Amino acid sequence: MRPDPNTLLPFFKPRGVAVIGASADPAKLGYGIMSNLLHPQTGFPGPVYPVNPRAEAILGARCYSDILSVPDPVDLAVLIIPAEMTASVLEDCGKRGLKAAIIISGGFREVGGEGVERERLLLEIAKRYGMRLMGPNGIGVIDAHTPLNTTFTTGTVGAGFIDFVSQSGALCGGILDWALAHNLRFSRFLSIGNKVDVNETDLLAYLGADDLSRVITLYLEDVKDGPGFLSAARKTITRKPILVLKSGRTASGQTATASHTGALASGHAAFRAACRQIGMDEYEDIEAMFHASLALAYQPPPRGDRLALLTNAGGPAALAADALEPAGLSLAHTSPETRLALQQFLNPNAPLEGPVDMLGAAGVDQYSRALELLLADPGNDGVLVILVPTILIDSVATLQALVSVMRSSRSGKPVLACLFGEASLAGAYAAADQGGLPAYRFPEQAIAAFSALHRRALWLGKEHPLPVPPADVDPQKVHELLYTALDAGRTSLDAVASRAILQAYGIRSPEDILVTSPEGAASQAARIGFPVALKLISPDILHKTDVGGVLLNLQDHDAVWDGFGQIIQRARQAYPRAEILGVQVQQMISGGQEVIVGMKRDPVYGPLVMFGLGGVYVEALGDVSFRLPPLTRQDAEAMIDEVRSSKLLSGLRGAPPADRSALVDILLRVGQLAVDQPEITEMDINPLIVLPEGQGALAADARIILTDTR
């Protein structure tokens, strides 16, 4: 259980700050921190105490020899001292009664070896005194509203409504510099470093309940407590959007796994699934994340996907229009009434249906009057204003007029701007920033930002019910079956053994039987009814198709007799020492669509359910989706829709549509099985045959991998 988020308050609103390792040398980090804390315009308004036994004063502030001699009030310490000294100094901070410390110093877990032990000791000291720690190996905290800046970065950002939490300190310095050049303002800017104590979960809980921000942006390299992070994100996302960029999205290598699901479930798959389920917006481009955060911080969500384009140049408007459809948006067209009103003051040659191109001579009056009309037009859900600088237009006055129209409008529609250029538009960007009008340099950036607003609107407009466990499942029976297998030393369940597990969770299979001779195979095939399939059953051969261990559509006695021998011979040739239990004779199912449903247990987030099409080619195609169980029906539906080839389920070229409802039900049941049975670490149902609508679905083959959790 994580500590109360209110314990983080001293990081943002301390009564006093002690800088341990403060320096009078401008080349030292301790000097940079003091400079920011004592900045004449944006410095901390409370007392700042430099701690350095070799100095009397730093930047006019009296120095203290140690933290124990610092007077009240003080409840936050910033440590910028050698790693080997940090533990003893932190102990003194605890004795002094401080409740929060930011450790800037490196030399801890990131260097391995002794650094790991140093970090463990820091946490032990903090817990003993009830202190919260941020870092080590970070750059500290900026709270633009307090104001407070415990970092050594240059420049000062203005107070805004965007929170940024970063695991990388180096990234923070670059982003701050970029933000200053692009009029991007933050409410809080936090570097959490190695996360010995305070982590992304704590900060989501605190920032989510705070009224000084409207958007939370995250840069993460890992997540320490997957379930806790997801729980905090679920609570926060209802109050404000969460935008996240996570490094480590690709793997340099893939270890061998026993299932297709295991091969496809990369370390990032669970995080991506969590983002989609919870409603977090994941980005692969840090600039795009901040562009979206700007729109989300200053503009309302649109009621729909129709974006009106207002421009003085056709080329940029054409680029914007081309970007709409891939972003899930559509081009708005003006109503006849709006077109008639626009004709009264625009160039007679101006195209007005949409985009509204006022042509190059448009000025302040045309821009403001046209925006008024578009905001009043019921045929759109928002407006993108594009301005290309010309010698005829006063860009600053135009932006000021646009801001005035936006603020006076009662339409409730979002307005974005594309100021297509840079060198001559600094004043226009400043006017947009001061007025809360998000402005972008290129049309595609603005379209992507509006798309983020639209996704937020869609999420807010949906119900988000809690998962309901499926009926008719028998977890106790499965628990007994799994531990019977584990007690016998088996960690892999073949198709025959897996069938009983699936049946206990209401997942049907075609009729089958395990045989050990060609006579038995032929006899049972006749009983089941031709055609049949034959499948190798061996705990030592993970993928039986790789050795020719599957024969399909066998039509008669002789084909089954010969097929049994072929399968055994091929298996013996490929794996001479493999244990072969026999051959499964299975009813051959005609019709239906083959899909794969699987599960893998992620070490951070827990079980992860997979869905895809492709049968044996699923790994090559990689057309799969993931979600974290337990699943809702909406989760299962979204999983199906995410797979590009899922259109095959709807019936193409005369084929009947597949039983989508039955597929959804099986995804829910597999998710519940994964939640109920922690012993299952990997599972494939491949293929799952989804029959025509109303006929259900059958698990034609399955494999389950176990781990003893006792």
Side-chain angles (χ1 to χ4, degrees):
M1 186 177 193
R2 298 301 299 176
D4 183 344
N6 289 325
T7 60
L8 302 185
L9 188 62
F11 290 111
F12 308 108
K13 297 186 182 301
R15 294 172 300 160
V17 181
V19 180
I20 305 173
S23 175
D25 183 350
K28 297 290 184 66
L29 298 182
Y31 179 90
I33 294 170
M34 287 294 298
S35 296
N36 282 330
L37 284 169
L38 296 173
H39 191 281
Q41 282 81 44
T42 59
F44 177 57
V48 176
Y49 310 102
V51 176
N52 186 329
R54 294 185 297 276
E56 292 186 3
I58 294 176
L59 293 174
R62 176 190 169 185
C63 264
Y64 296 86
S65 59
D66 55 53
I67 187 63
L68 295 173
S69 60
V70 169
D72 286 328
V74 59
D75 47 13
L76 173 64
V78 182
L79 280 64
I80 180 68
I81 56 178
E84 60 271 16
M85 297 172 56
T86 306
S88 62
V89 172
L90 189 66
E91 182 88 34
D92 287 343
C93 290
K95 293 176 181 177
R96 176 63 182 78
L98 273 68
K99 293 302 179 185
I102 298 169
I103 302 175
I104 305 293
S105 315
F108 294 89
R109 177 166 49 90
E110 77 278 6
V111 301
E114 190 178 357
V116 176
E117 175 59 23
R118 286 182 186 138
E119 204 164 285
R120 186 200 64 77
L121 184 57
L122 293 181
L123 185 59
E124 179 185 298
I125 294 167
K127 286 182 176 179
R128 189 186 318 138
Y129 290 101
M131 276 189 295
R132 301 305 307 271
L133 300 183
M134 194 173 292
N137 191 35
I139 67 166
V141 169
I142 298 175
D143 187 316
H145 292 281
T146 298
L148 172 74
N149 185 348
T150 72
T151 77
F152 48 83
T153 58
T154 59
T156 304
V157 294
F161 303 104
I162 300 168
D163 289 328
F164 178 57
V165 178
S166 174
Q167 197 167 337
S168 166
L171 194 71
C172 290
I175 289 172
L176 277 173
D177 196 63
W178 176 84
L180 287 168
H182 290 79
N183 300 304
L184 188 66
R185 293 176 290 160
F186 293 93
S187 47
R188 297 198 178 91
F189 203 89
L190 311 169
S191 168
I192 52 179
N194 291 4
K195 304 187 293 188
V196 65
D197 174 30
V198 174
N199 60 30
E200 58 283 337
T201 301
D202 299 299
L203 290 169
L204 273 184
Y206 182 89
L207 299 174
D210 181 71
D211 293 328
L212 291 176
S213 68
R214 299 171 185 168
V215 183
I216 298 174
T217 57
L218 305 171
Y219 168 76
L220 300 174
E221 294 169 358
D222 62 15
V223 173
K224 281 203 166 184
D225 172 18
F229 174 74
L230 300 185
S231 176
R234 282 192 180 95
K235 294 175 183 175
T236 300
I237 201 75
T238 58
R239 298 195 74 233
K240 59 187 72 173
I242 302 171
L243 283 59
V244 58
L245 186 151
K246 186 177 180 298
S247 62
R249 295 184 299 275
T250 59
S252 58
Q254 179 71 56
T255 57
T257 57
S259 67
H260 293 296
T261 307
L264 288 160
S266 66
H268 192 68
F271 185 80
R272 180 175 291 119
C275 289
R276 290 174 177 173
Q277 274 175 279
I278 291 171
M280 293 186 289
D281 224 351
E282 187 189 8
Y283 288 83
E284 297 183 1
D285 179 331
I286 199 160
E287 187 176 29
M289 181 174 76
F290 285 121
H291 285 157
S293 70
L294 186 64
L296 289 160
Y298 290 96
Q299 294 296 309
R303 297 187 185 96
D305 65 0
R306 304 166 302 170
L307 182 62
L309 303 180
L310 176 64
T311 183
N312 67 343
L319 292 175
D322 282 342
L324 287 169
E325 189 175 330
L329 306 171
S330 62
L331 177 64
H333 298 286
T334 53
S335 68
E337 295 79 11
T338 300
R339 288 199 294 274
L340 184 61
L342 289 169
Q343 287 170 359
Q344 307 308 308
F345 61 90
L346 292 182
N347 187 310
N349 297 317
L352 302 179
E353 185 175 348
V356 175
D357 184 357
M358 300 180 294
L359 305 180
V364 176
D365 183 61
Q366 287 90 345
Y367 264 105
S368 59
R369 291 174 67 185
L371 179 59
E372 270 186 50
L373 289 169
L374 288 178
L375 287 175
D377 190 330
N380 67 69
D381 303 298
V383 182
L384 170 60
V385 181
I386 301 172
L387 185 151
V388 175
T390 72
I391 199 168
L392 303 174
I393 193 167
D394 184 334
S395 60
V396 174
T398 301
L399 264 293
Q400 290 170 340
L402 292 172
V403 166
S404 178
V405 171
M406 178 190 74
R407 288 181 167 178
S408 62
S409 172
R410 297 183 179 180
S411 68
K413 297 176 183 179
V415 180
L416 304 182
C418 170
L419 307 182
F420 201 1
E422 190 158 357
S424 66
L425 292 171
Y429 279 111
D433 172 58
Q434 291 164 9
L437 173 56
Y440 304 92
R441 281 151 179 77
F442 295 102
E444 298 87 351
Q445 296 170 339
I447 297 300
F450 188 85
S451 180
L453 282 170
H454 181 239
R455 287 193 299 274
R456 178 65 176 171
L458 290 175
W459 190 90
L460 291 171
K462 290 180 181 177
E463 292 185 5
H464 301 282
L466 295 174
V468 177
D472 306 321
V473 300
D474 192 346
Q476 184 57 38
K477 179 180 179 180
V478 171
H479 189 75
E480 292 169 359
L481 290 169
L482 297 180
Y483 275 112
T484 297
L486 288 167
D487 288 341
R490 287 186 291 149
T491 57
S492 175
L493 302 184
D494 55 43
V496 174
S498 297
R499 179 182 181 184
I501 307 295
L502 299 180
Q503 285 180 334
Y505 271 74
I507 301 172
R508 298 185 298 134
S509 300
E511 184 179 357
D512 64 39
I513 191 168
L514 180 66
V515 298
T516 56
S517 67
E519 298 93 338
S523 172
Q524 291 300 327
R527 182 188 63 80
I528 290 172
F530 296 103
V532 297
L534 298 184
K535 300 177 182 180
L536 175 69
I537 300 298
S538 169
D540 298 325
I541 301 177
L542 298 179
H543 300 298
K544 46 186 170 282
T545 54
D546 293 348
V547 298
V550 177
L551 296 175
L552 303 176
N553 206 31
L554 302 179
Q555 299 287 339
D556 55 37
H557 173 283
D558 291 345
V560 172
W561 185 292
D562 294 342
F564 180 95
Q566 291 173 19
I567 286 176
I568 298 299
Q569 182 181 14
R570 291 168 182 170
R572 293 287 186 210
Q573 288 176 343
Y575 295 93
R577 297 184 180 180
E579 180 185 5
I580 297 175
L581 301 180
V583 171
Q584 180 188 30
V585 182
Q586 188 177 73
Q587 175 189 10
M588 194 75 195
I589 304 299
S590 60
Q593 178 67 52
E594 291 190 3
V595 305
I596 179 173
V597 173
M599 187 279 292
K600 181 183 178 182
R601 202 163 295 276
D602 183 86
V604 177
Y605 299 96
L608 185 63
V609 177
M610 184 190 83
F611 166 73
L613 280 78
V616 296
Y617 303 109
V618 66
E619 286 184 42
L621 298 174
D623 187 17
V624 295
S625 61
F626 294 93
R627 288 295 185 276
L628 298 168
L631 305 177
T632 65
R633 184 162 290 274
Q634 289 89 332
D635 291 332
E637 295 277 7
M639 286 183 75
I640 297 170
D641 291 337
E642 271 177 34
V643 172
R644 297 185 300 276
S645 52
S646 64
K647 293 179 181 178
L648 295 171
L649 296 170
S650 61
L652 297 177
R653 298 191 176 183
D659 197 333
R660 184 181 173 111
S661 178
L663 175 56
V664 167
D665 183 64
I666 286 177
L667 287 168
L668 297 178
R669 292 177 183 277
V670 169
Q672 193 62 44
L673 174 62
V675 170
D676 293 342
Q677 311 295 337
E679 299 79 17
I680 299 177
T681 54
E682 290 184 33
M683 179 174 71
D684 275 350
I685 302 175
N686 185 30
L688 174 73
I689 302 174
V690 187
L691 298 170
E693 204 166 38
Q695 298 180 31
L698 297 171
D701 205 349
R703 173 173 289 275
I704 295 175
I705 308 301
L706 306 178
T707 298
D708 197 333
T709 60
R710 289 174 292 187

